[in-house]
Amino acid sequence: MRSAGTRRSWLAASIAAGVASILIAVSGGFAVSVGGVRVSARSWHLSAAAAGVAGLGWLWTASRSRAIGADVDALGAFLETRGRSLALGVATLAVITALAFSSYSASGADASGYLSQAAMWSQLTTRFADPIVALPNWPLAPGDTAPLGWTPALVRGWQVPTYAPGLPWLMALPHALAGTTGAVLVVVLSTGVAVWATGALAWRLGGGVAALIAATLVATSPTFLYHAFQPMSDVPGTAAWIVCWLQVARAAPASSGLAAAVATLIRPNLAPLAAVPWLAITLAGDRAGLPARAVRFALPVTAAGLVIALLQWHWYGSPLRSGYGSAGELFTLSNLGPNGRLYASWLWNAERAFVLLSGVASVCAAISAGGRTRRRPASEAGHSREQRVRLVVGLVCFSIGVAMAYFVYAVFDVWSYLRFLLPAMAVSAALIGAAIARALRIPGAAWAGAAALVLVVVASAIALQTTRRLGVFEVAAATARARDAGGQLARRLPAHAVLLAGEQSGSMRYATGRPVVRWETLDADSLRAALAVLAAEGLEAWWVLDQFEEARVRARFPGVPEAALDWPPEVEAGPLMRTRAWRIGAH
């Protein structure tokens, strides 16, 4: 026994060091500061050497004992019995990664929209004042002074959020306690919940190996990581949906309905898809309990739908109108073709590991279809084949529903809009893990544990290399410009300042509390008129522009001296992309 323990310790050390070296090599390593202490791992050579030494130690001791096969089988058994715990470990690493690489910045429309709405709710109000539209002879429309993420309210002089309230509600208390950092922690924790719940759902479908594969597939997804590093709704929404399905698998209608309600509040456009888990859990179990299951799931979802309808009625004048517009304006069948082509190309470019493992899972499902496995995992105890089939059908229908909901949605041209498919990808990851795990349990499957581990490592390596290529690990550096510029301006702007901004209009109002004019909605005459009124009222106007906007401003307002930007900026921020600010009248 002592000899076996020594051998397997060598094997475990070799695997751990080998995995570390591969992941460091493909991701470029990391360097973070924790409590003032800098922790970094940039070179893969040392861990690779340690893997080689430990591997040789295991091979020598195992060959002497003629136990190579036994040790590899023991590895498979370990992955099966400890897979759920390993998936929890993957989720913990995902949280640590999100903490280290999160932007903590309200840069752009989405981040500033969610954070500023969280700040609004923390003040127990439902709208934001727009003081400059009340100025005498003010020439601009209310929409010209609404920053990104906001829209004019039905009552003049007020603005209301564009985005759904679910995520800001989750952020409101943390924001009140710890500002931006507190709100960002909601997304960071959602990252861990999404990964853990995906692994737990896969465990229900296919055991420990399935849990490890599924959790790793989500945790290393470039799309998932890109949005785990920013205060946006995609990862929390994904976490809510995957928890909903996990509770369906556990036959818990009330908690699954509550999770679906949270998902509905975060992304109301996917609310109709709550019918799929509702059917799955309603039809599960005995007929006598069917009405109770149906009601217990439906109550929180219905309540969430009513809340959204009432809030949209209050904000936009109709329970069927969102901050983006009406359903007829947003969804059309003519978008199916363009979006289908775009999403397919994005999946191959950004989610190649996911696509490849989907192919492997399809082959595995064909191999194991109708075949008998060597053993049933403990996770399948108490679940009939009919129940598992019903759950799988529900998961597949849900994934297709998510895809179709966004294939008819507006057409975008940036790979990061794969974020819309994250709930479907998480559910699919659980199915992929289960299909592969079941195939590895058929009689005659050689070295199943080693094969599973190789799949996990290779898929992770491909995904992390893609993540690095797409610049995902540079999100914090790229978005730091808004946080830094906003901080500088908050300290130096006078109370009577007004900001002319575009891309950072939401983030600048969030950081400074000053009113905003959206330059990209104006022409030369309206800009001159607005500046004249501001000057007459003693208000100080400032340009706040991202680097790429400067040339656009000059081109849009030729002949307007205030738009020439030919004097030195008073604020300049950002290590990668720059955000700069000019005080009009300083030249």
Side-chain angles (χ1 to χ4, degrees):
M1 291 294 295
R2 186 175 180 181
S3 176
T6 302
R7 289 197 319 269
R8 290 170 186 176
S9 295
W10 281 113
L11 179 58
S14 177
I15 291 171
V19 169
S21 66
I22 292 170
L23 298 185
I24 290 172
V26 299
S27 67
F30 66 90
V32 296
S33 294
V34 181
V37 178
R38 183 176 175 82
V39 180
S40 66
R42 292 293 191 187
S43 175
W44 57 269
H45 300 90
L46 183 60
S47 52
V53 170
L56 288 173
W58 167 74
L59 188 61
W60 181 69
T61 55
S63 61
R64 288 187 63 191
S65 303
R66 298 182 179 180
I68 292 177
D71 286 354
V72 173
D73 286 342
L75 170 65
F78 174 82
L79 293 178
E80 185 58 52
T81 57
R82 302 293 184 185
R84 190 162 51 160
S85 298
L86 292 172
L88 180 59
V90 172
T92 302
L93 288 175
V95 169
I96 293 171
T97 302
L99 278 171
F101 289 97
S102 282
S103 65
Y104 301 96
S105 175
S107 180
D110 289 348
S112 66
Y114 289 118
L115 289 169
S116 58
Q117 189 183 157
M120 180 195 76
W121 288 114
S122 69
Q123 296 166 11
L124 302 179
T125 182
T126 63
R127 56 187 184 177
F128 192 93
D130 181 12
I132 57 176
V133 297
L135 294 175
N137 302 315
W138 181 245
L140 304 183
D144 297 329
T145 57
L148 292 175
W150 294 75
T151 191
L154 300 176
V155 178
R156 185 177 175 84
W158 296 91
Q159 296 168 354
V160 294
T162 299
Y163 299 117
L167 178 59
W169 280 346
L170 294 174
M171 288 177 162
L173 180 58
H175 191 284
L177 295 174
T180 300
T181 300
V184 167
L185 288 179
V186 172
V187 179
V188 170
L189 294 176
S190 297
T191 299
V193 171
V195 174
W196 166 79
T198 301
L201 177 60
W203 181 81
R204 290 269 169 179
L205 293 169
V209 169
L212 178 60
I213 292 171
T216 304
L217 194 55
V218 171
T220 57
S221 159
T223 308
F224 183 80
L225 290 174
Y226 186 76
H227 296 94
F229 297 165
Q230 301 179 74
M232 295 170 63
S233 66
D234 305 279
V235 169
T238 299
W241 278 119
I242 200 71
V243 167
C244 168
W245 279 107
L246 174 60
Q247 297 307 106
V248 169
R250 289 174 170 172
S255 55
S256 59
L258 182 60
V262 173
T264 296
L265 293 170
I266 294 173
R267 280 287 175 84
N269 65 303
L270 294 182
L273 291 179
V276 183
W278 176 77
L279 279 173
I281 201 161
T282 298
L283 298 177
D286 60 279
R287 291 187 178 182
L290 188 150
R293 291 193 299 272
V295 170
R296 290 170 70 189
F297 182 98
L299 276 177
V301 178
T302 303
L306 288 173
V307 168
I308 288 293
L310 289 172
L311 194 56
Q312 290 183 166
W313 197 354
H314 171 65
W315 278 348
Y316 315 121
S318 169
L320 301 179
R321 187 176 185 85
S322 73
Y324 301 101
S326 66
E329 296 167 340
L330 297 172
F331 300 95
T332 173
L333 290 176
S334 63
N335 292 333
L336 268 173
N339 273 331
R341 290 188 293 272
L342 282 170
Y343 281 100
S345 65
W346 292 340
L347 280 168
W348 180 246
N349 180 60
E351 295 290 349
R352 196 160 300 177
F354 187 91
V355 173
L356 292 174
L357 274 195
S358 297
V360 172
S362 299
V363 173
C364 288
I367 292 173
S368 60
R372 297 180 61 186
T373 61
R374 289 179 291 181
R375 62 190 180 280
R376 290 182 65 188
S379 60
E380 293 185 6
H383 293 81
S384 67
R385 184 175 185 277
E386 181 182 355
Q387 289 174 319
R388 293 196 304 274
V389 169
R390 187 183 292 117
L391 178 60
V392 169
V393 170
L395 293 169
V396 171
C397 290
F398 175 80
S399 298
I400 293 172
V402 171
M404 293 305 299
Y406 286 110
F407 282 8
V408 298
Y409 190 54
V411 179
F412 299 95
D413 59 357
V414 182
W415 75 269
S416 60
Y417 281 94
L418 275 174
R419 63 194 177 95
F420 291 151
L421 302 188
L422 279 175
M425 291 171 64
V427 164
S428 299
L431 294 171
I432 290 168
I436 294 173
R438 293 184 69 85
L440 291 175
R441 287 198 298 272
I442 63 174
W447 287 17
L453 190 59
V454 168
L455 278 175
V456 167
V457 173
V458 170
S460 300
I462 294 172
L464 290 176
Q465 192 279 331
T466 305
T467 301
R468 183 184 182 186
R469 170 172 57 82
L470 293 173
V472 173
F473 292 119
E474 297 175 352
V475 165
T479 58
R481 64 191 191 277
R483 181 191 63 233
D484 296 345
Q488 293 183 50
L489 286 168
R491 290 189 295 269
R492 67 186 303 169
L493 285 177
H496 57 280
V498 175
L499 307 180
L500 278 68
E503 178 68 16
Q504 301 303 339
S505 54
S507 63
M508 291 304 108
R509 191 181 72 176
Y510 171 72
T512 69
R514 305 311 194 272
V516 165
V517 173
R518 292 269 300 280
W519 68 263
E520 72 270 31
T521 67
L522 310 181
D523 57 24
D525 290 338
S526 58
L527 175 62
R528 289 191 187 95
L531 291 175
V533 171
L534 293 176
E537 295 296 319
L539 299 175
E540 191 173 280
W542 287 66
W543 287 105
V544 186
L545 303 172
D546 274 346
Q547 189 174 356
F548 70 89
E549 295 180 289
E550 296 174 19
R552 297 180 185 180
V553 166
R554 296 186 184 99
R556 189 176 184 89
F557 307 111
V560 180
E562 294 88 349
L565 305 176
D566 53 2
W567 66 99
E570 299 197 22
V571 168
E572 192 164 0
L576 293 182
M577 183 181 291
R578 309 294 283 173
T579 293
R580 305 202 292 176
W582 296 259
R583 180 166 60 89
I584 294 177
H587 59 301

